[in-house]
Amino acid sequence: MAASPVSDDELRELAGKQAALGEVRGAPAPDPVNEPMIRHWLAAMGDANPAYLDKGLAPPAMAQVWTMQAPRPGARDRSPVDDLLAALDAGGYTGVVATNCEQTYHRYARLGERLTPATRFTDLAGPKRTALGVGYFATWNVTWYGDGDEPVAEMLFRVLKFRPREGTREDRPPYPLQPAVNQDTAFFWEGAKSGELRIQTCADCGRLRHPPGALCPRCRSSRLTYTVASGLGTLYSYVVHHHPPVPGRETPFVVGVVELPEGVRIVGNVVDCPPGQVEIGMALRVTYRPMDDRLVLPMWAPEEP
């Protein structure tokens, strides 16, 4: 049976009740902090620091990894956030995009200990009008506790749950997930419209950088230009996205980290290939897909042998 729509007043009332629950503990991590997972993380992140495994410690940013739960129905503990997100979906706020993630580290997680998450819902702000549509900003905090009930790490997480805008044209409605375009990134999106994969380049020291920024990380110069990449790449890492639903996309789809021969990595969808046939190390070529009348996204397709 479909959920009944909820009003704005009911959403705010539910948010107050969930916040009043305070910190709600979940189940301990299914697996203890372990070396194989740390090795995978270090390889995926390109972190060559040997200190973690030498000292029996996990990288701090891995806190969420140990307690990440499967998206299958009934396979996860419910937190104070779940009922509120479900109510927002029922109210028509089906779009979701993460806006803030702030982590605080108290100590390193140690090999062999099992972390336990505790979630506290803190705030619901809205309705607010945004570029994506009218929506609510939902904020919650997660604290991970180690052995001895000692806090290991905390995370503030905020998402925008929005009502996708109606299309203004019947042939191609606006793509709901528009990128942030500013003076530092405009050259990249203009290049995509022209069929060019442009990589920011320092005009002084020549270093290539992606994603773009205001200053060269090597020499701190603000004199920036761009290089047109070959459009070839190798799949460095990837995930297959099944859940949650993404406005404008059909699941499952593949999001990959592509390593370019020019020396930088870029994130993009891997297309024209079933998810089950995607492999790390496969050769890719950039392809450009118009998402609406304004936005063209560079994506990656298998390179023909």
Side-chain angles (χ1 to χ4, degrees):
M1 179 180 296
S4 301
V6 293
S7 68
D8 292 338
D9 287 341
E10 289 172 323
L11 286 172
R12 282 188 283 269
E13 181 180 358
L14 177 59
K17 290 180 178 178
Q18 299 307 94
L21 293 175
E23 190 174 78
V24 177
R25 292 214 175 192
D31 299 296
V33 176
N34 60 82
E35 290 189 11
M37 187 68 77
I38 294 174
R39 287 198 191 95
H40 286 308
W41 172 275
L42 295 175
M45 295 295 128
D47 189 344
N49 188 343
Y52 297 117
L53 292 176
D54 287 350
K55 297 180 179 180
L57 305 173
M62 285 189 73
Q64 191 176 17
V65 170
W66 307 111
T67 57
M68 190 78 71
Q69 297 182 352
R72 297 187 302 275
R76 63 191 301 271
D77 295 326
R78 293 191 67 79
S79 76
V81 179
D82 294 309
D83 289 340
L84 183 65
L85 296 183
L88 286 165
D89 284 338
Y93 302 98
T94 55
V96 60
V97 60
T99 64
N100 294 71
C101 180
E102 302 172 11
Q103 296 190 347
T104 302
Y105 307 125
H106 297 287
R107 68 166 175 84
Y108 291 101
R110 297 181 284 265
L111 287 178
E113 69 177 330
R114 291 179 186 266
L115 302 189
T116 299
T119 304
R120 175 170 51 89
F121 181 78
T122 55
D123 184 59
L124 183 71
K128 296 182 180 291
R129 190 173 301 277
T130 75
L132 295 174
V134 175
Y136 285 86
F137 289 90
T139 306
W140 61 91
N141 291 80
V142 181
T143 301
W144 287 274
Y145 293 94
D147 294 344
D149 214 31
E150 182 183 9
V152 173
E154 299 177 34
M155 179 176 70
L156 177 149
F157 199 74
R158 180 177 294 117
V159 299
L160 169 65
K161 289 284 287 177
F162 61 94
R163 222 180 238 138
R165 294 180 300 178
E166 296 291 333
T168 56
R169 293 182 51 169
E170 295 181 358
D171 57 341
R172 192 182 292 275
Y175 185 64
L177 300 180
Q178 295 289 328
V181 180
N182 54 39
Q183 63 181 2
D184 297 323
T185 63
F187 78 95
F188 178 84
W189 299 110
E190 291 168 0
K193 290 180 181 178
S194 302
E196 293 182 348
L197 187 63
R198 298 176 178 177
I199 306 301
Q200 187 181 72
T201 309
C202 178
D204 286 325
C205 73
R207 175 165 179 168
L208 275 64
R209 176 188 185 186
H210 189 84
L215 295 174
C216 173
R218 174 189 287 165
C219 69
R220 313 305 293 174
S221 172
S222 61
R223 297 180 62 246
L224 303 170
T225 181
Y226 64 82
T227 298
V228 178
S230 66
L232 301 177
T234 302
L235 188 61
Y236 180 80
S237 180
Y238 72 95
V239 296
V240 180
H241 184 99
H242 294 272
H243 185 84
V246 176
R249 301 301 309 273
E250 292 185 7
T251 56
F253 58 86
V254 177
V255 181
V257 178
V258 181
E259 191 161 55
L260 307 186
E262 289 78 12
V264 299
R265 296 172 186 160
I266 185 170
V267 175
N269 292 117
V270 179
V271 296
D272 299 340
C273 182
Q277 296 180 17
V278 174
E279 296 180 342
I280 290 176
M282 67 189 299
L284 301 171
R285 177 180 291 275
V286 71
T287 181
Y288 300 94
R289 303 289 173 88
M291 309 308 292
D292 57 29
D293 292 334
R294 296 178 299 164
L295 176 64
V296 175
L297 287 180
M299 299 186 182
W300 296 87
E303 170 73 342
E304 296 295 332

